[in-house]
Amino acid sequence: MSIFFDSESMEPVVREVVHTAINTDPKTVPDPHQAALDAARQVRERVTGNFAVGRFIAAMIFLALLFAGGVFTANHPELKDWSTVLLHTFEVALGGVVGLVIGERTGKV
């Protein structure tokens, strides 16, 4: 399940391509390697992922709130420990968001 990319199910597309491949007589295929590449390209072109802008903006707002909370609590001596926790949480969450976006995009290519 993707967080920052919405994608349709691959099952119908793969089912159609496999069905076509099974029903094709191998003797009529001049270049099996090229036929396999064409089938893979067809699946790739028909299954696309769209970037979920709303989820990304929500993640950015959450990160901004964590950072603002860390900065705000840093200015109050009695909340210094909270500042450390909030800013560390911001660092970890930022790394998670960047990692998820890059990982999901790489997986969609």
Side-chain angles (χ1 to χ4, degrees), residues 4 52-70 86 90 93-94 97:
F4 294 111
V53 177
R55 293 180 192 160
F56 183 73
I57 290 172
M60 290 298 107
I61 291 171
F62 176 70
L63 288 172
L65 289 173
L66 281 175
F67 184 75
L86 287 171
F90 166 76
L94 178 63
V97 168

Side-chain angles (χ1 to χ4, degrees), residues 25-66:
D25 184 11
K27 295 175 186 171
T28 64
V29 179
D31 185 6
H33 180 70
Q34 186 60 40
L37 289 174
D38 291 341
R41 188 175 301 112
Q42 181 182 3
V43 170
R44 181 177 174 209
E45 289 172 356
R46 291 181 55 192
V47 177
T48 59
N50 299 321
F51 188 66
V53 177
R55 293 180 192 160
F56 183 73
I57 290 172
M60 290 298 107
I61 291 171
F62 176 70
L63 288 172
L65 289 173
L66 281 175

